[in-house]
Amino acid sequence: MTTTPTATPQVAPRTRVSLKPARRDRPRRSPLLTALTALMLIYSLVPLVWLFINASKTQASLFDSFGLWFSGDFSLLTNIRDTLTYDDGVFVRWLLNTVLYVVLGAGGATVLATLGGYALAKFDFPGKRAVFATVIGAVAVPGTALAVPTFLMFSELGLTNTPWAVIIPSLISPFGLYLMWTYAAQAIPGELMEAARVDGAGELRTFLRVCVPLLAPGIVTVALFTMVATWNNYFLPLIMLKDPDWYPLTLGLNAWNDQAATAGGQPIFHLVITGSLLTILPLLAAFLFLQRYWQSGLATGGVKD
């Protein structure tokens, strides 16, 4: 009688569990990149520091003290009060004009760029290649090259020396349109739009409820670009406006600066510097408020392959 050998069970080897936390690979530090970043930080902050320091000085202290350090008397609050009340408060009028140009001009440019970029990215129509070539060509043309033709056209229409001469040209932003075009093509999956249409949503509801939240980072980026461009616009208002009551801040501060060179003019350089400081504060506030909306990857995971 033969006996068959019995197989001995195999015992799996024990795995040792380490209780030590896993080591994370630390990013390599680049001394050259750190030095370049520090230089860029200094380059960006020194003008702001200079502006704040000199806005705290009197007219006389601007010329007999070091530019990057405070003088004896800290006159920032006095300079702010004098800036807001000088010449019957014309600075406040210029500030309101600038806000008007930004809200209507930059806001309208953002809306038009969003609508146009979305349509060009998600719909096909005859002449789309021609539109693409036109937009690229418009991006390459500097705005100053179009200022004189724009002035001649608005002069024929009788719109010069009016706010519309600044607002209407600000509505056109070829760069904003191109940016929204490329961003919408990548940020909005076609499957999401098809799913919304299958659920019975119309084109307008699909755009407002599905696409606009995905386009929020691009919209904020275009809004900031157009807002800064309109806020700092100088050449277009210079050739379009003659009435000081419609000046933006850029023209108004330049008029104050040129006042010292006129016959019998009173130098008010301390008010020009203080006004420049007040001018950049809204831009800094807008960047700090809107930077939280710069988020990418909002559509990640929204569509299952």
Side-chain angles (χ1 to χ4, degrees):
M1 183 177 180
T2 60
T3 59
T4 57
T6 59
T8 59
Q10 298 291 333
V11 180
R14 296 181 178 179
T15 57
R16 299 181 61 184
V17 179
S18 177
L19 299 179
K20 296 181 180 181
R23 295 181 58 185
R24 297 181 178 178
D25 295 334
R26 295 181 179 179
R28 297 178 59 184
R29 296 181 178 179
S30 173
L32 178 60
L33 182 59
T34 303
L36 292 176
T37 305
L39 289 177
M40 291 299 299
L41 180 63
I42 294 174
Y43 177 80
S44 302
L45 291 181
V46 166
L48 297 179
V49 173
W50 181 92
L51 193 62
F52 175 77
I53 291 175
N54 288 274
S56 66
K57 299 179 181 180
T58 60
Q59 175 72 21
S61 300
L62 288 174
F63 299 97
D64 57 13
S65 62
F66 181 58
L68 289 177
W69 196 245
F70 299 94
S71 63
D73 297 331
F74 189 80
S75 305
L76 178 61
L77 296 180
T78 302
N79 289 341
I80 292 176
R81 183 194 62 199
D82 294 342
T83 301
L84 297 178
T85 58
Y86 182 79
D87 195 11
D88 296 330
V90 69
F91 181 86
V92 178
R93 175 64 184 264
W94 295 338
L95 177 61
L96 295 177
N97 292 340
T98 306
V99 172
L100 175 67
Y101 300 150
V102 168
V103 171
L104 297 183
T110 303
V111 173
L112 293 178
T114 302
L115 295 174
Y118 168 75
L120 290 170
K122 294 302 176 181
F123 296 95
D124 292 327
F125 53 89
K128 188 173 181 179
R129 292 180 178 270
V131 173
F132 178 78
T134 303
V135 172
I136 295 298
V139 171
V141 176
T144 53
L146 300 176
V148 174
T150 304
F151 170 77
L152 296 177
M153 181 177 64
F154 277 71
S155 179
E156 291 293 332
L157 296 174
L159 295 177
T160 54
N161 203 28
T162 65
W164 298 111
V166 179
I167 295 173
I168 295 178
S170 301
L171 294 174
I172 308 302
S173 176
F175 175 74
L177 176 60
Y178 177 74
L179 181 62
M180 289 305 303
W181 185 349
T182 56
Y183 188 83
Q186 300 295 327
I188 304 176
E191 292 83 352
L192 282 180
M193 297 180 62
E194 292 298 330
R197 290 164 181 163
V198 169
D199 290 339
E203 293 297 336
L204 180 60
R205 186 177 182 184
T206 300
F207 172 72
L208 295 177
R209 300 295 297 273
V210 177
C211 300
V212 169
L214 300 178
L215 295 175
I219 294 174
V220 171
T221 303
V222 173
L224 286 176
F225 274 114
T226 54
M227 183 183 69
V228 172
T230 307
W231 191 276
N232 296 327
N233 196 0
Y234 174 78
F235 189 66
L236 181 64
L238 177 64
I239 66 175
M240 290 291 186
L241 302 176
K242 295 181 180 180
D243 187 358
D245 289 337
W246 290 115
Y247 278 2
L249 287 171
T250 51
L251 284 187
L253 292 176
N254 185 68
W256 278 3
N257 188 57
D258 293 340
Q259 183 173 313
T262 58
Q266 178 186 5
I268 49 172
F269 296 119
H270 63 303
L271 299 186
V272 175
I273 295 175
T274 306
S276 301
L277 178 63
L278 297 177
T279 300
I280 66 173
L281 292 181
L283 293 179
L284 294 177
F287 269 90
L288 293 177
F289 176 74
L290 295 176
Q291 59 88 23
R292 61 176 179 169
Y293 295 100
W294 284 346
Q295 301 172 359
S296 60
L298 292 178
T300 303
V303 177
K304 183 177 180 180
D305 296 333

